[in-house]
Amino acid sequence: MAWRAVRAMGLPCRLVKGQEIAQGVLLGKPPRSQASGQSQRVAPADKNSGGRAALLLVPGGNARLKAAGLGDAGRDAVRQWMEAGGNYLGFCGGAGLALSHAAPQEGLGICPWSRAAYPERLHHLISGHTRVRLLKGDEFSFCPQERAESSTTTNAPAADSASSPCGCSARAAASSPGGASAAEAAPAFVPASETTPRAALASTSAPASGTKSAPALEKSSACPSQRQNQPSMDPPHAPSLPVWWPGRFAAEENPQVRVLAAYDAPDADFWLADLPLQSIPPHIFEQWQSLYGVNLSADFLKGQPLVVSGEYGQGRYVLSYSHLETPHSPDANLWLAQLLQQLTGLEPSRADVPLWQLRHPCHAWPEGSRSAALLDALRHMRGLLDLAVEHHLFFGRTHWLWGWRTGLPGAACNNLHAALCTAASLAPSPAALAYWQEVEPHFSKLADLFAAGAEGYFLACRLAETLHPTLPDAVDRHGLDHQRQALFGHPMSGGGLMEELLDITEELIFLSQDATPCDLQ
């Protein structure tokens, strides 16, 4: 999703793998690894920057697994790159990766803050938009005065930064936020479901000129204003930012960390687990707390830091538990465009991320036998989502996301569906076609096994739910857990048939990343 947002804004970027980061690709060193018999491509070296990335964008996922995927060499490489002036932008798990941890190998330690636990596990299951209070006057403060205006742009970079590349990393290219995590999460642009070191984005040149008309950023002289000590409400309308099952900062007094935005109040589409809070009267929350001792209001969020910034060496970081790359989220997208401009020196061609219509995906693969297995897998995955909706296990949440009942593998299903949609939306490169010819028989077999197994699993979950009031032990819970493990892996560490399908699908995305997704054309 983050990769798509950067591409939609017309900025040069590429996916780079975690192994490449460990080998120094952020500092401009060519990778030594091989992928599927093909040399991994890297961003072209820039005559001014020596090919160094200006920005590493790390999306959501399990921060601990991302750190493990980087390894000691990768974590050191990121810190060395930042000390030399590289900039870091992390969303959700990418923010958590940058924090300090009791076990140093579990994060980068570029921010002195750590991650805090929620008072109740259920409080982690928040999603939707929230109104925020903003810090004004900081270098990275959100400037709502800047509005996207339609104009023809040449996408030229700033005069002093033509060489600045924009970096991100791979599995996030296709995944929804809050996805299942896996054993060796890729360090950079990779969602939580990563299991092998995946790619990060890096690019060294400005977009080609002559692109079609698109909304452009217009600077406002009124922003930034004098810096404040604390975030404040921005009257008359506080910005609305999206969160998708976020982590939480352990705030402490430290002048090195600046809070750019803090939670204020839930917006209209805010959910806690599978409960839309706007549909529940406030007095009901009070009754629930009095009768059952459960606090399901969002009061615990008010004033909590949501977006922070600071410096590490000569580099700068912005860490956000809000997914600013969320499609069709105007305030979030505008702030993302501003941050990308500030952190890379490149001018986005637009300040919004268009709708991601995963309910009606396009595909760019050529018709015929070569694409049959991939498109069949996509259709089967959509069929599973429809089945889960029909049996009230899942529900439509947004144009790109299905919601799910607590305890079901909804994040994993969203991740695989989004990955398949993304792979199918990219015209395959020769390297991707060669790789596909090699793995297609195995992929087809895995996809058939997964589709049949997942269908049985969802129907068994529905049966267990139906029988539970009268026959609570009719469906063996241990059997269901075993089936889920085989299909979807562990909720926090991944695995199962789904992980194997994701590995292949994301390699296709990596090998075809130079193509423009057909939904952005």
Side-chain angles (χ1 to χ4, degrees):
M1 190 164 73
W3 175 76
R4 179 181 180 272
V6 176
R7 292 294 301 270
M9 291 182 177
L11 293 179
C13 60
R14 76 174 304 276
L15 299 168
V16 298
K17 297 192 174 184
Q19 185 179 8
E20 294 178 297
I21 293 176
Q23 294 172 355
V25 70
L26 297 178
L27 291 167
K29 298 178 182 179
R32 300 187 301 272
S33 58
Q34 300 289 313
S36 309
Q38 302 289 330
S39 296
Q40 292 183 6
R41 296 168 296 165
V42 297
D46 184 89
K47 61 183 180 181
N48 296 317
S49 69
R52 291 194 305 179
L55 174 66
L56 181 66
L57 195 165
V58 186
N62 186 297
R64 184 179 303 169
L65 298 179
K66 291 178 183 294
L70 274 173
D72 291 340
R75 294 190 297 273
D76 286 343
V78 173
R79 287 188 287 262
Q80 291 171 12
W81 166 75
M82 289 197 68
E83 287 171 351
N87 296 322
Y88 184 103
L89 176 59
F91 297 140
C92 209
L97 175 65
L99 300 176
S100 297
H101 297 257
Q105 70 273 16
E106 294 182 356
L108 294 172
I110 61 176
C111 174
W113 280 12
S114 60
R115 187 179 185 274
Y118 279 101
E120 298 181 31
R121 172 61 182 168
L122 193 62
H123 288 169
H124 173 67
L125 304 180
I126 60 175
S127 60
H129 283 72
T130 176
R131 295 290 175 175
V132 298
R133 295 176 179 268
L134 296 174
L135 179 70
K136 295 182 180 179
D138 188 84
E139 175 185 12
F140 299 121
S141 292
F142 176 48
C143 298
Q145 296 96 326
E146 295 184 6
R147 289 294 177 245
E149 294 188 359
S150 180
S151 64
T152 301
T153 67
T154 60
N155 299 328
D160 62 349
S161 57
S163 63
S164 297
C166 170
C168 313
S169 114
R171 188 169 267 195
S175 297
S176 56
S181 55
E184 296 179 43
F189 201 34
V190 189
S193 56
E194 187 60 69
T195 58
T196 57
R198 282 296 177 197
L201 283 179
S203 164
T204 56
S205 58
S209 61
T211 57
K212 59 185 179 181
S213 176
L217 287 177
E218 182 176 280
K219 280 286 185 182
S220 167
S221 59
C223 188
S225 59
Q226 185 175 2
R227 179 181 292 180
Q228 300 169 333
N229 292 326
Q230 297 292 332
S232 64
M233 186 66 75
D234 189 53
H237 301 294
S240 182
L241 300 181
V243 292
W244 306 106
W245 308 278
R248 183 168 170 245
F249 293 113
E252 59 184 62
E253 289 294 332
N254 191 317
Q256 298 177 18
V257 182
R258 302 182 296 279
V259 179
L260 302 178
Y263 289 97
D264 186 65
D267 213 341
D269 68 337
F270 194 87
W271 291 52
L272 198 156
D274 54 359
L275 297 173
L277 297 194
Q278 285 288 321
S279 67
I280 302 173
H283 72 274
I284 296 297
F285 288 120
E286 297 174 4
Q287 290 180 10
W288 286 352
Q289 187 162 9
S290 174
L291 293 172
Y292 312 119
V294 177
N295 179 15
L296 294 183
S297 74
D299 294 345
F300 67 94
L301 287 173
K302 194 175 184 68
Q304 292 290 323
L306 180 61
V307 185
V308 304
S309 68
E311 290 80 35
Y312 184 85
Q314 298 183 52
R316 301 165 296 172
Y317 62 80
V318 176
L319 311 180
S320 173
Y321 276 119
S322 170
H323 281 273
L324 303 181
E325 80 278 25
T326 298
H328 204 55
S329 181
D331 289 334
N333 297 166
L334 178 57
W335 199 359
L336 174 61
Q338 293 169 1
L339 290 172
L340 291 175
Q341 183 180 45
Q342 291 159 337
L343 292 168
T344 69
L346 300 176
E347 182 78 28
S349 63
R350 60 191 297 167
D352 67 304
V353 179
L355 288 170
W356 199 17
Q357 294 286 9
L358 294 190
R359 299 181 190 282
H360 307 285
C362 62
H363 71 85
W365 273 61
E367 296 289 349
S369 58
R370 285 194 298 183
S371 63
L374 179 64
L375 299 182
D376 283 348
L378 175 55
R379 283 190 288 269
H380 290 159
M381 191 65 232
R382 175 57 191 271
L384 287 172
L385 292 169
D386 290 343
L387 177 73
V389 170
E390 181 181 358
H391 288 278
H392 309 290
L393 303 173
F394 287 10
F395 50 90
R397 182 68 192 277
T398 71
H399 50 95
W400 57 271
L401 177 69
W402 279 259
W404 61 92
R405 302 281 294 273
T406 302
L408 293 171
C413 290
N414 274 286
N415 279 347
L416 180 56
H417 182 253
L420 290 167
C421 287
T422 302
S425 75
L426 298 171
S429 67
L433 289 174
Y435 171 71
W436 183 242
Q437 184 175 8
E438 173 189 337
V439 301
E440 186 272 336
H442 182 57
F443 178 91
S444 182
K445 180 180 178 180
L446 288 174
D448 289 343
L449 288 172
F450 175 79
E455 179 184 41
Y457 172 78
F458 282 134
L459 292 175
C461 288
R462 185 68 177 95
L463 177 63
E465 185 180 86
T466 299
L467 297 178
H468 186 265
T470 54
L471 298 170
D473 299 321
V475 178
D476 181 19
R477 287 290 175 180
H478 293 294
L480 275 181
D481 291 343
H482 179 76
Q483 191 176 8
R484 172 174 174 155
Q485 185 86 9
L487 291 166
F488 304 99
H490 189 275
M492 293 302 295
S493 59
L497 293 176
M498 174 168 283
E499 184 174 291
E500 295 186 67
L501 291 169
L502 276 171
D503 285 343
I504 294 172
T505 305
E506 289 167 356
E507 185 68 10
L508 289 174
I509 295 169
F510 176 77
L511 293 172
S512 296
Q513 63 174 289
D514 289 342
T516 300
C518 55
D519 69 306
L520 294 180
Q521 293 177 358

